[in-house]
Amino acid sequence: MKKFGFCDLNISIPSHQFKEKCLEELVSLGYKTVALNTTVYEEKNETSKKKKSQNKEVIPPPQATLDPEEVQGKLQILQRITLHFSDANQLQKLTKSENTKKYDIVSVVPKSFTAFQLACACKDIDLISFDASEHPIFMNRKTYNLAVANSIYFEVPYAPAIADSGKRRTTIQVAHAYHTYGKSKNIILSSGITDFLKLRSPYDVANLALLFGLSEEQAKNSMLDTCRALILRAEGRRFSRTAMTMMITDLDLDSDGEPMAKRYKTTEDSDSDMS
């Protein structure tokens, strides 16, 4: 997995429509890494028959993509799963599913404040998004900072804001809440498109980001460095990789810049040789 560059980590186009023209459009706009999104909605009012089949797999496998030869050298295509959920049982189905492990990025859309709290505390997900067609959920500084501490990221999809005034209002409201409670930390911008003709270039998206309360630097990083950090975080979760940094502090040095312990040992050895 490589080829970061400008990223759009929410391409919600069905796989059978994700053809060569869409690939050409993404490449021409300057994108290097994209995620093909699969959305799963929570089950409502389960019947007794459905309850008997609780162990049935609710997470579908990743979508088939273009022939690797068509994509090679042009675009890095990742697989993303997004679950809309309102209770812990649905979230558990996502995190425990074998199919979930096949996706590169795991995302959720909380439908209530309780679900939002669960998402912020869950280290088995990578990204929290929202549905602009619904009323935005309440959040606070504590839950936002908890998500940041767990290296979980927040998404602002721009396509709904372009398509509809009501969705634009919701998108701006949520984005400004991210700014109010978390100073827009760990924010990525993505399209969330279902039609590739509605794609925008990264520079146009960066201009939109200013309306969402992001600074110029945050706007740029929301499609570059922050996306890169998210992808690496997701890869570490999938393969249980961790990074460790060793730092030596309070090391006593002599006037020559050599560790005192080493100098003392060397001097002691030389004295013993003389005797």
Side-chain angles (χ1 to χ4, degrees), residues 23-268:
L23 172 64
E24 291 176 354
E25 183 70 13
L26 286 163
V27 173
S28 66
L29 289 174
Y31 291 100
K32 298 293 184 183
T33 303
V34 299
L36 193 59
N37 183 45
T38 299
T39 302
V40 177
Y41 296 92
E42 64 179 343
E43 300 175 357
K44 297 181 180 179
N45 300 324
E46 293 181 332
T47 63
S48 57
K49 289 184 178 180
K50 288 184 178 180
K51 288 182 179 179
K52 291 180 181 179
S53 59
Q54 289 183 21
N55 296 327
K56 182 180 178 181
E57 181 63 78
V58 296
I59 304 299
Q63 305 179 53
T65 57
L66 291 168
D67 189 323
E69 293 184 0
E70 297 181 58
V71 180
Q72 189 173 12
K74 299 178 182 178
L75 202 65
Q76 174 68 36
I77 300 179
L78 307 178
Q79 293 285 353
R80 164 180 165 173
I81 182 73
T82 300
L83 173 70
H84 292 237
F85 82 103
S86 58
D87 60 65
N89 291 332
Q90 291 291 329
L91 182 61
Q92 187 176 28
K93 287 181 181 180
L94 173 71
T95 57
K96 300 300 182 183
S97 170
E98 287 298 318
N99 281 338
T100 300
K101 300 176 182 178
K102 301 175 184 178
Y103 288 89
D104 299 296
I105 298 173
V106 177
S107 171
V108 295
V109 175
K111 311 296 282 187
S112 65
F113 177 62
T114 301
F116 185 78
Q117 287 180 307
L118 290 171
C120 291
C122 182
K123 296 182 179 180
D124 292 323
I125 67 170
D126 309 306
L127 183 64
I128 297 175
S129 190
F130 64 92
D131 188 345
S133 64
E134 299 181 354
H135 191 274
I137 61 173
F138 173 78
M139 68 181 74
N140 56 37
R141 185 171 284 104
K142 181 179 179 180
T143 52
Y144 193 105
N145 289 335
L146 176 61
V148 172
N150 288 330
S151 298
I152 296 172
Y153 293 77
F154 296 91
E155 177 182 51
V156 178
Y158 67 79
I162 296 175
D164 181 88
S165 60
K167 293 179 181 179
R168 184 183 310 121
R169 191 180 307 111
T170 299
T171 301
I172 293 175
Q173 185 176 349
V174 173
H176 283 194
Y178 289 159
H179 177 73
T180 300
Y181 295 116
K183 297 182 179 179
S184 299
K185 295 177 183 176
N186 287 20
I187 295 292
I188 71 163
L189 286 176
S190 60
S191 63
I193 58 162
T194 55
D195 181 358
F196 74 89
L197 295 177
K198 296 179 181 178
L199 275 169
R200 297 294 183 270
S201 74
Y203 301 101
D204 290 337
V205 178
N207 290 330
L208 274 175
L210 301 179
L211 296 176
F212 299 151
L214 277 69
S215 65
E216 290 186 13
E217 183 178 1
Q218 287 175 326
K220 180 180 178 181
N221 288 336
S222 66
M223 293 170 286
L224 287 170
D225 293 349
T226 309
C227 285
R228 176 179 178 274
L230 166 60
I231 294 169
L232 292 176
R233 188 265 189 208
E235 187 175 5
R237 171 189 52 76
R238 290 178 65 210
F239 299 105
S240 300
R241 295 176 182 172
T242 57
M244 181 175 65
T245 302
M246 295 183 63
M247 182 179 295
I248 301 176
T249 59
D250 298 328
L251 184 64
D252 293 330
L253 303 177
D254 62 9
S255 59
D256 296 328
E258 188 175 4
M260 292 292 289
K262 182 178 180 181
R263 170 59 65 87
Y264 176 78
K265 185 177 185 302
T266 304
T267 305
E268 185 180 44

